[in-house]
Amino acid sequence: MLSRTADSLFWMARYTERAANLARGLGVAGRMASLSVALEDESAEWHGILTASGGEAGFLDKHPGVTPEAVVDWIVRDRDNPSSIFSCIAAARNNARTVRTALTVDMWGAINDTWNLLRRMTPAETSGEALAGFLEWVRERVLLCNGAATDTMLRDEAWRFVQIGTALERADNSARLLDVRHAMLSGSAATEYAQWQAVLASVSATRAYQWVYRDRLDPTRIAELIILRPELPRSLVASFARVKEQLDAISADQGGRRGECHRMAGELHARLAYGRIEAILEEGLHEFLTRVIEHTASLGQEIERFYIQVAEP
Amino acid sequence: MTAFDEMRDGAVAAATYAEIRAWIERTPLDALKRKSAEAELLFRRLGITFAVYGEGGDPERLIPFDIIPRLIAASEWKSLSAGLEQRVRALNAFMLDVYGEQRILKEGIVPSALVLENEAFQPAMMGFTPPGGIYTHISGIDMVRTGPDAFYVLEDNCRTPSGVSYMLENREAMLRLFPRLCARHRLAPVSRYPEHLLSTLKSVAPERAGLDPTVVVLTPGSYNSAYYEHCFLADEMGVEVVEGADLFVSDDDVVFMRTTRGPQRVDVIYRRIDDDFLDPEVFRKDSLVGVPGLMRAYKAGNVTLANAPGAGIADDKAIYPYVPDMVRFYLDEEPKLGNVPTYLCEREADRAEVLSNLDKLVVKLARGSGGYGMMIGPHADEAMRAEFARRIAEKPGDYIAQPTLALSTVPTVTDTGIAPRHVDLRPFILFGRNEISIVPGGLTRVALREGSLVVNSSQGGGTKDTWVLEDGPSRPHAPMGQAQSQTQTQEDSLGC
């Protein structure tokens, strides 16, 4: 496959996944902020989602203060924010457009229709009372894109690069959402409980927690679920298992051709697969998650170095 | 000036269009408009767009599609395709000659300056023979019609003609929207074009490439107006569509593409990039879409370019008047297809004629395309004519003029009803090492505005499906299987 095609598929998948996770994170933040009676500091929520989305600096260049309206606009619509939902879907669609031939008609239809619907939406349709419904719609559209890929793509290299993009982005986003919630943990027991609920909601895992543990919310278990449990499809370990599995499959197809990215993916996965939550908490959750986020970024760069930036002989 | 109505004028027309005529007469306008909307949705969903950047509005436009097909009788097509084949052979011979011995220039049949000083002339090709002696692997010859037997060539496109994807998609759309109407005609199929294109390209691969050469389509990128077509053709042929940056040339003059498996050798490049941008080492140095060293690899015989660099010389409208002479000179045959009489403003006598008849003539840029920079005399106002008179006087070599032709019309769905609209036809000719193949029909472009003669898609033109009918009776399908006795098969109002 052309390196550029692999690159576009990888980033198409990353941007669609990011859009959905922003929608999850923002939805939860909005809910939490509206429960502000129970919270000490409403603006912490909005700061939190800004931090998680990694665009805090850009936001502060443009806006004097952190208001709910400004944050929502920045994360949903602002094209100056390369990671806004609009920017992500536009970038995903542009990547899809340049590799039309590597996509199925259904995948192209899902992503192209999403962009065509999104770009016509007015600010009134994506904020205020309409915000929750809009964020739900974004999640659904991304589920449709993923479903179209799962149900219609040949299991060839194109599929594998899409999978790697989705899983890598998901690992990064789950780690960020957990980290930012963790940082907000302070104060009364009631607030804390709401925060832990929010952590689960932001990775769509509220029900999953109940099914796995059948018990009241417990911080250690929540961290374990999101970091170490392979059953949860949005957990870090499940995401890295997918990355590793798909990289190994590409390598097998290419007669065992391997590079640093394969080693790194294996190491990252093994650390999680054989990790213990007690040890992670002892090290410090924030320190651990920061390291995971950094390693995810390096792994992405290694994958690009090996498959995308083909050197001239 | 009354135009030839392809559906109504003459016996051949009446027989050819009998079914279509009955269909549009029994179908209410509302129903046709509904089908038109359905067609638009289909095209939009498939992402079949034509990008026009820098003019505001939606940068990804649909070319309007008209659902009433344009028909050509078997006998008409037979003589048309024979003429096209002859013309392309002559054009190819001309290119081999002007980059070789230049006999036609030495014998004074075509003025030397017209060729040698032309910006489309590529001195880099002098003394080099492309593989198989083929310059113009893919050409699109624009035809217009003014009467029952009067087909004329309007222009030759040997550089990088586009539009063939619309020909294929239009047929797909018609088969989906009107399966029964299609079945009532014996339609010559068009769907094998990609297969023919691939075998044409493979036939000119360098010898060492063996039996299964690697073919790619080279596109300037997703902002090019024909990007959709580049992807479509690559997809249909099962080959990669590459951009300049995906390719590189090694020190020993071999072309590779960058793949996830590492560098992979490339044998044939169907390039949809103009000559000027192909290789910054030889042509324009500021080209960002080309491949440095490509011409080195080409001349070393390690890769084949289709069409060959320099093929654009035949697209020049000042060269066009000489094509019938080329047919006589190279093939020793009489041309089967006529040209539209053309005045070269560069010639003093022609220029005088043009300037005193500006209200009757169409004036065009000799090197323009896309319907830009042209003036249709009878439709222009005084100021416009004065402007063109000034431009012609200033740069006579840049302009040609032709009589305003009464282009034939085909019925077309408009807001207010079905009405005749002017059309042209671009058939696509494939020239391989062993054969010339022409898919029956081509792209019919239609000027949607009433009275307009400009069919270019960049100027608000639309397209129609082109149906070449095969000889023999039509084949109405028998109903599938057996039907319940009391339910009568009933044709719906659309007859589709």
Side-chain angles (χ1 to χ4, degrees), chain A residues 1-4 6 93 97-98 100-101 108-109 112-113 119 157 161 253-254 257 307 310-313, chain B residues 44-47 51 53 58 60 222 227-228 231 235 240-243 246 248 257-263:
Chain A
M1 175 191 285
L2 272 188
S3 296
R4 182 173 48 82
R93 193 267 183 179
R97 185 166 178 264
T98 61
R100 269 295 304 280
T101 56
W108 167 247
N112 192 39
D113 288 353
R119 71 194 177 114
E157 228 174 64
F161 277 102
D253 285 348
Q254 297 187 356
R257 199 172 151 260
Y307 288 114
V310 175
E312 301 181 14
Chain B
R44 178 73 70 185
R45 216 184 133 64
L46 293 173
Y53 288 90
D58 188 349
E60 286 168 31
S222 63
Y227 181 67
Y228 168 77
C231 292
D235 198 21
E240 295 285 0
V241 52
V242 302
E243 296 178 14
D246 296 325
F248 66 87
M257 60 177 160
R258 299 170 212 269
T259 79
T260 55
R261 288 167 188 261

Side-chain angles (χ1 to χ4, degrees), chain A residues 266-305:
Chain A
E267 184 185 354
L268 267 166
H269 175 248
R271 272 199 209 159
L272 294 165
Y274 299 107
R276 282 185 310 117
I277 193 62
E278 292 77 12
I280 291 170
L281 294 178
E282 204 168 302
E283 179 198 340
L285 189 60
H286 175 67
E287 288 68 26
F288 172 80
L289 290 171
T290 305
R291 215 150 40 81
V292 169
I293 292 167
E294 282 167 10
H295 284 159
T296 309
S298 319
L299 176 56
Q301 283 158 9
E302 282 305 323
I303 291 171
E304 296 200 21
R305 205 193 313 278

Side-chain angles (χ1 to χ4, degrees), chain A residues 165-186:
Chain A
T166 304
L168 206 61
E169 184 67 29
R170 186 173 292 172
D172 170 271
N173 296 173
S174 289
R176 284 171 190 271
L177 288 165
L178 178 58
D179 190 33
V180 75
R181 287 278 155 215
H182 174 258
M184 279 186 253
L185 284 176
S186 64

